[in-house]
Amino acid sequence: MRHKPRWALGWSLLPLLSACGGGGLLATVGPDYQAEPLPAVAGWHEPQPGPVVQSAHGGAAGDLIRWWEGFNDPTLTRLLDAAERQSASLAEAKARIEQARANLAGADAALLPNLDASLAGKRSSASFGGEPFVWNQYNAGLQSSWEIDLFGGLARQQQAALGQLAAKSAAWQDARVTVAAETANAYLAYRYCLSQVQILQADRASRSESAQLIAIAGESGLRPAGNVALARAGAAEARSNVLQQQAQCERGVKGLAALTALDETELRGLLGANAEQAAKLPEPPAFRIDAIPAGVLLQRPDIAAAERDVAEASANIGVQRAKQFPKLSLSGNITPTLQNINGAALMLAQTWAIGPTLSLPLFDAGKRAADVAVAEQQYLAAASRFRDKARTAVKEVEEALVRLNSAGLRLPEGRAAVDSYRANYRSLEALNQNGLSSLLDVETARRNLLSAELALKTLEQERVSAWIALYRAVGGGWTANAEAAAQSDVNASPDSLPIQQISFNGGKS
């Protein structure tokens, strides 16, 4: 019976030992991570928005993914797509995901043996006082080494890499939400600007017409020169206001061009495709936050990223502690060599070696202990950042609800003010035409009406902006289910993002 070489028997044990990759062979040092509860209150302090015609958010983040479609604005959809494709922050976030994937691949590889092969040929000549001889050598080598994870340092390293990858993936989702909100706000500002231009143009036309009529009356001696000058001043002021506002809108176009990287000619064509709609503020689909604060926070990718940072920091404590314990490595090689001298027949020489190496940390002047202390402080800092982000998230939701409720309460008052100022202006204008009121009273009423109309438009813009802020505050449609995210946006999502590994259920990392 032919026996296997002892080195072959040693290598046959590798699959058995590698099965211990879930933890250390002898022990797994370091804390087992437990996700702490989200520091959120039991309910929202601010009341929910008013009656909702069509609910776009039933407490689940996936329902908000298609929220932008509810605007029914193809221009906005096109701008959002262009901004996401050109965003530098998204590109950087995706690069960090790839780096995290590489780190995870390295951590996985550290748990398994590495294997290298080599081929070499050598021709040499030697002489020992006599005729020289030629020596030819041809060898093929196979070398392998493997660190046995005795105390779980490599397993903790793998856990840290998993946490890092999940955090970077969630950060990419957060960057997407941020880019969408920034683009929508820029587009809203542009349309708000155009609506102001419309109001100012109507005011300019009214003042110009009044100035012409008063000038004719002045030439006939029916109006004093002071009234004629006042009317001309009002018309000039109205023209100046329009030009100033138009310049503001031009700046908005430049900002959108920079944000989306669209050619300005193409962008202007896109923005002017429906001039009547462009001057109207978009109407966002309303939604309610039916979930408790802790449930809403689960929808925020920045909170998920912060929690995974805590898990990574916890695993790093185990990585550093494992360095304080012995380390066992197993290495081996096989090197068959063909050789001959002076052209004789080739002869085969085979060598092999296998053996363990045990490293014992004896004295390092406290460096390893200091590294553990640093890792523990980094964990505490990461946990503090997580809690801070959770508190900030609650604050942002509450602030958005305050803005929504305030705008909702003020809008009816603003509309009533516009109606009253318009009635007052028309009454004074009619009296002035009959010589029963002064032009100064008419111009004062006109200014009051203009201010009320602009204030009402500002309130409407604030309401839309508050909806966008609430969308951003509740997570912006991010979902912890990578498969659902891929189905909703196949082109934008990096392949196989491990978002599904993010958990707040208090289980082990």
Side-chain angles (χ1 to χ4, degrees), residues 193 197 200 239-249:
C193 184
V197 169
L200 293 174
R239 290 192 294 271
S240 175
N241 290 339
V242 171
L243 293 173
Q244 181 182 18
Q245 195 62 40
Q246 287 175 335
Q248 181 69 24
C249 295

Side-chain angles (χ1 to χ4, degrees), residues 325-329 357-361:
F325 292 84
K327 182 171 69 173
L328 177 64
S329 298
T357 300
L358 184 64
S359 301
L360 302 175

Side-chain angles (χ1 to χ4, degrees), residues 25 51 57-58 73 136 148 176 193 217-218 245 269 346 377 433 449 473 481 489 495:
L25 183 62
H57 182 14
D73 190 335
N136 298 314
I148 310 300
R176 289 187 66 200
C193 184
Q245 195 62 40
L346 290 171
Q377 290 302 314
Q433 290 174 354
L449 174 59
N481 188 324
D489 193 353
D495 297 333

